Amino acid sequence: MQITEMTRRQNSSTTRAFLLAPALMAGYGLVRLTGRAVGDYGPGVWWSAAHVLFLAGVLAFVPVFLGLRLPDGVRGGRRVAVRAAAGAGLLGAAAVVVQAVIDLVVGFVAADDRAMSDMFEKVQDVPGVMPVVYTAVPMLFWLGLLALVTLLAFFRRAEVPARSPLLVLAGVVMMAMSLDLLTVGALCIGLALFPMRRGLPG
């Protein structure tokens, strides 16, 4: 009985994450745009609020990856592929979390935009930081999500509509083009994940 109740609560938490994760990312985009519109997107309230939402959004994707990594009815090589995509996404998420924490700390400590820029330069000049925290590894977060949704669209067609990979791709491309499109991109990803929030975890 206790195990069943615990499982039910875990499933409910995972279901909420499918809605919460893209919503938090969209919130990050909105706060960022607002801060830039009022000319105050540097060290201060707007920067900190945006990056708190960013960090929370990335963390909320963790149960999404975990919930999708072992779908019912997928066995053998297909399951290995799904788990590999989820693992890549989680590795990328870890890198993005570090990035978000650095952004928060720099925004809190820096006195102005110039000081913030200098601090970022010092951090990024550390060998290995750029590829691990800012460029190569963080891309695994989005590429892992795209690969995972695409695989599940082939393997679990009843739960994952064919449009879901296309929506994730559109969202990722928009975010890569410009952070000003982050809110729209996050909404695309939310629409992709919405029909997947039930029935997949095994």
Side-chain angles (χ1 to χ4, degrees):
M1 182 72 71
Q2 291 179 343
I3 294 176
T4 301
E5 181 62 26
M6 185 181 300
T7 301
R8 186 180 297 113
R9 290 178 180 176
Q10 289 173 343
N11 289 341
S12 177
S13 176
T14 299
T15 299
R16 287 195 297 270
F18 277 73
L19 306 177
L20 186 61
L24 288 167
M25 284 292 188
Y28 163 50
L30 283 174
V31 173
R32 179 183 178 277
L33 284 174
T34 303
R36 289 170 63 86
V38 300
D40 190 29
Y41 193 65
V45 174
W46 291 106
W47 177 275
S48 296
H51 284 81
V52 165
L53 289 170
F54 179 40
L55 177 60
V58 176
L59 292 173
F61 269 101
V62 172
V64 173
F65 283 115
L66 294 176
L68 295 178
R69 78 191 191 285
L70 295 174
D72 286 333
V74 178
R75 298 287 182 268
R78 291 182 172 189
R79 174 161 286 209
V80 171
V82 168
R83 295 189 73 171
L90 289 168
L91 179 60
V96 178
V97 165
V98 174
Q99 182 185 139
V101 170
I102 291 172
D103 289 351
L104 276 169
V105 171
V106 169
F108 182 75
V109 173
D112 53 33
D113 290 344
R114 179 60 183 272
M116 178 184 280
S117 180
D118 290 342
M119 288 182 187
F120 278 128
E121 278 190 27
K122 290 178 181 178
V123 170
Q124 293 170 4
D125 282 343
V126 175
V129 167
M130 278 300 291
V132 173
V133 178
Y134 286 97
T135 55
V137 179
M139 281 303 298
L140 293 176
F141 175 59
W142 300 112
L143 295 178
L145 180 64
L146 177 59
L148 185 58
V149 174
T150 301
L151 288 170
L152 292 172
F154 281 104
F155 302 156
R156 294 296 300 274
R157 296 179 183 178
E159 291 85 5
V160 184
R163 66 178 179 274
S164 287
L166 298 176
L167 285 167
V168 173
L169 178 61
V172 171
V173 169
M174 280 189 277
M175 290 186 218
M177 287 174 56
S178 172
L179 288 179
D180 291 343
L181 298 174
L182 200 150
T183 298
V184 179
L187 291 175
C188 287
I189 291 173
L191 289 173
L193 294 179
F194 184 77
M196 301 170 60
R197 70 196 188 282
R198 299 182 187 278
L200 282 171

